[in-house]
Amino acid sequence: MLIQTIKNVIAILDYIVNSPTPVSATEIAREFDMSISNAYKYLDDLYKGELLTKNKDRTYIPSFKLVEYGSIILKKINLRDLAQPHLVDLMVKTGQTVHLVVKDGDEGVYIEKIEGPHSLPMMSKIGMRMNLYATGFGKAILAYLPQQELEEYLRTAQLEKRAKNTITDPEKLKKQLSEIRKMGYAVDNEENENGIFCIGAPIFNYDNQVIGAVSISMSTSQAKETKVDEYARFVVDCTRKISRLLGYKE
């Protein structure tokens, strides 16, 4: 009985938090197939617990107490620890080097690197800063920036030649970023480092903002031998799981 009560309270709170309008006891009773008296009881308990605010018309909305809880939770979240099992799973599925990167200004910073059985010697290391325009993870981040922020980046970034396929024309890069948004992932085909092929996908936070990315890296010869589309699905699946843990809702 207690477990069912807890489940009901959680379900009702979730319903109210996600409702675009204030919620009444009648709506709760109808939605959860319960009596009006039980609906009032659950709502009153949540109100007394300061999780809901009651309006004059006896409808309910989420309280600022939830914002306070959210702030506390966010401070405790360690992205690297949270992402770790999913990064390991991605490495196991692909056998390739996996990177976790966060956006910091106009660069990306490696905060985790997991080498697989097929890993190549690479210059990347935890704490290292890297460009966004010529890397798989970086282009995955750029593709989902707000338009104004992206335009500012393209206006000020020095798009220098780094490898044989680096895109140094802002308009060409902008066009590719549009394609990346359609696919949901980015590819770096010898754009940052000759001989290296990368697939990157974005990580979003609770505010639906891109904050980083995950990528896998391999040799260009391995990319030709493997199913790139399949690997891309693995990368996207990994970042979606991490994003959901951060509160992102698609």
Side-chain angles (χ1 to χ4, degrees):
M1 184 68 176
L2 177 60
I3 293 176
Q4 186 58 48
T5 298
I6 293 172
K7 287 182 178 179
N8 287 339
V9 169
I10 293 172
I12 290 170
L13 181 60
D14 182 71
Y15 180 82
I16 295 173
V17 167
N18 287 287
S19 174
T21 58
V23 176
S24 67
T26 302
E27 184 177 343
I28 292 297
R30 182 177 65 250
E31 185 68 26
F32 292 92
D33 192 24
M34 63 176 62
S35 67
I36 291 287
S37 60
N38 277 343
Y40 269 121
K41 180 182 181 302
Y42 286 124
L43 291 169
D44 192 54
D45 286 343
L46 288 166
Y47 171 68
K48 289 177 179 177
E50 300 182 356
L51 297 178
L52 296 180
T53 296
K54 183 162 58 174
N55 298 320
K56 291 181 179 179
D57 62 357
R58 302 186 76 180
T59 58
Y60 296 82
I61 58 174
S63 76
F64 283 102
K65 189 75 172 179
L66 294 173
V67 178
E68 181 183 337
Y69 285 157
S71 178
I72 293 170
I73 291 168
L74 287 173
K75 290 178 181 177
K76 293 182 177 181
I77 288 177
N78 183 312
L79 176 59
R80 185 178 176 185
D81 291 344
L82 180 148
Q84 185 75 16
H86 302 292
L87 302 177
V88 171
D89 181 61
L90 180 59
M91 181 276 292
V92 171
K93 287 177 177 176
T94 63
Q96 308 298 338
T97 300
V98 177
H99 292 108
L100 173 64
V101 180
V102 292
K103 180 181 180 296
D104 185 26
D106 287 344
E107 296 178 306
V109 180
Y110 293 111
I111 64 171
E112 184 60 288
K113 177 181 180 180
I114 300 176
E115 296 185 349
H118 307 308
S119 295
L120 296 171
M122 297 181 66
M123 61 181 179
S124 60
K125 60 183 179 181
I126 295 175
M128 184 177 180
R129 306 178 75 88
M130 188 59 66
N131 73 82
L132 299 178
Y133 67 91
T135 55
F137 66 78
K139 290 190 292 181
I141 292 171
L142 289 176
Y144 290 91
L145 289 180
Q147 190 62 33
Q148 185 175 349
E149 189 175 347
L150 175 60
E151 294 292 348
E152 178 64 16
Y153 175 86
L154 294 174
R155 187 179 65 82
T156 59
Q158 299 295 317
L159 307 184
E160 300 174 348
K161 192 77 172 178
R162 299 185 59 86
K164 68 178 186 178
N165 293 328
T166 308
I167 298 175
T168 57
D169 183 328
E171 287 305 313
K172 287 184 179 180
L173 179 58
K174 190 174 179 180
K175 184 176 180 181
Q176 188 180 79
L177 295 177
S178 178
E179 291 300 313
I180 290 169
R181 284 193 294 274
K182 295 176 183 177
M183 296 189 300
Y185 65 91
V187 167
D188 155 21
N189 184 11
E190 296 187 277
E191 295 171 48
N192 188 63
E193 194 174 348
N194 288 329
I196 300 297
F197 184 96
C198 302
I199 303 170
I203 294 173
F204 300 95
N205 67 7
Y206 65 97
D207 207 23
N208 290 9
Q209 294 182 335
V210 62
I211 59 166
V214 170
S215 69
I216 59 172
S217 303
M218 65 198 84
S219 69
T220 52
S221 60
Q222 286 176 312
K224 293 175 183 177
E225 295 169 0
T226 58
K227 300 177 182 178
V228 172
D229 288 345
E230 182 180 21
Y231 277 14
R233 287 196 297 272
F234 290 150
V235 177
V236 170
D237 182 60
C238 175
T239 56
R240 281 178 175 166
K241 288 176 180 176
I242 296 170
S243 296
R244 289 192 197 107
L245 291 174
L246 294 173
Y248 171 68
K249 293 188 176 181
E250 298 182 54

